Amino acid sequence: FGLTVSFMFVEAAVGFWSHSLSLIADAGHMLADAAALALALIAQRIARRARTRHSTYGYRRAEVLAAFANGTALALTAVWILVEAVERWQHPVLVHGSAMIITAALGLGVNIAAALILRAGTHNANTRAALAHVLSDALGSLGAIVAGALVLTMDLRRADPVIGIAIGVLIAWSGIRLVRDTTRVLMESTPLHINLAEVEAVIRQVPGVGDLHDLHVWTIS
């Protein structure tokens, strides 16, 4: 969280100074990352609470809710980037390629470090959501490096919005997948890896079971 927040301000400042949509988009994505990581931290703390008489299932769903919110934030971030990229394509602006490359390379290093920290911990929907943010942000930094190189070597101003669109599509895909997966949990759907017919057959085979009615299988977290 500290790594992401500190570098976000650097990337945003250089992005506005260099007029680079790729860097500004990456900084915006880092803002979403920071919010995602903060949300993940809070949700993880809440999920550890013991169950009570009022919350008999405990608080594990906090992780799923955080992941759902993060997925929605990713999708909204992608929409903003795509709209801005179309505007930049129609009206190309002068971009400082060297500043883009240096800043994006530093950002890539920060994202890789954050991803390694997240991968080293425990894994659930919540931490996977945070990791998805960081990895897609790393791709964004990589894209900004490519855009900066094209602007610097070939003076292709439209390379910046094109890379911005590519980043936006990747971010949107990550967000849609997260929303889809967490919605299944929140709607108490049968987990994909469980065959309901097989579960029913196993229960019916237990000695002493006469019949089985109205079977439900779902996940808490």
Side-chain angles (χ1 to χ4, degrees), residues 161-181:
V162 167
I163 295 295
I165 290 171
I167 294 170
V169 170
L170 286 170
I171 294 170
W173 174 239
S174 296
I176 290 167
R177 283 183 61 192
L178 270 173
V179 170
R180 181 197 65 194
D181 294 345

Side-chain angles (χ1 to χ4, degrees), residues 7-204:
F7 195 78
M8 175 189 72
F9 290 107
V10 175
E11 199 164 42
V14 177
F16 281 109
W17 175 78
S18 65
H19 307 294
S20 168
L21 175 63
S22 297
L23 284 183
I24 295 169
D26 208 28
H29 192 201
M30 274 195 156
L31 177 62
D33 283 351
L37 290 166
L39 197 59
L41 282 167
I42 294 167
Q44 205 84 327
R45 293 291 178 89
I46 293 171
R48 289 176 185 168
R49 293 179 184 174
R51 65 179 186 171
T52 65
R53 289 183 181 274
H54 297 291
S55 298
T56 56
Y57 283 101
Y59 296 87
R60 301 288 297 180
R61 278 277 169 91
E63 295 173 348
V64 183
L65 286 169
F68 180 84
N70 283 335
T72 305
L74 275 172
L76 291 174
T77 302
V79 170
W80 174 78
I81 291 170
L82 292 170
V83 169
E84 188 66 24
V86 170
E87 176 66 24
R88 289 291 185 96
W89 174 267
Q90 294 172 341
H91 306 287
V93 297
L94 180 64
V95 178
H96 298 280
S98 55
M100 279 178 65
I101 294 170
I102 294 168
T103 309
L106 291 171
L108 181 61
V110 169
N111 287 315
I112 290 171
L116 290 173
I117 291 168
L118 282 168
R119 280 183 65 85
T122 55
H123 295 282
N124 52 44
N126 187 35
T127 53
R128 284 197 299 272
L131 185 59
H133 270 272
V134 172
L135 289 176
S136 57
D137 202 21
L139 288 171
S141 297
L142 196 60
I145 293 171
V146 173
L150 290 172
V151 169
L152 196 62
T153 59
M154 303 174 68
D155 196 30
L156 293 175
R157 296 186 186 181
R158 282 196 169 97
D160 188 42
V162 167
I163 295 295
I165 290 171
I167 294 170
V169 170
L170 286 170
I171 294 170
W173 174 239
S174 296
I176 290 167
R177 283 183 61 192
L178 270 173
V179 170
R180 181 197 65 194
D181 294 345
T182 51
T183 297
R184 287 188 62 86
V185 178
L186 293 172
M187 293 299 293
E188 299 183 337
S189 302
T190 303
L192 293 174
H193 64 283
I194 291 178
N195 185 316
L196 204 63
E198 287 182 6
V199 174
E200 185 171 346
V202 169
I203 294 172
R204 287 183 184 278

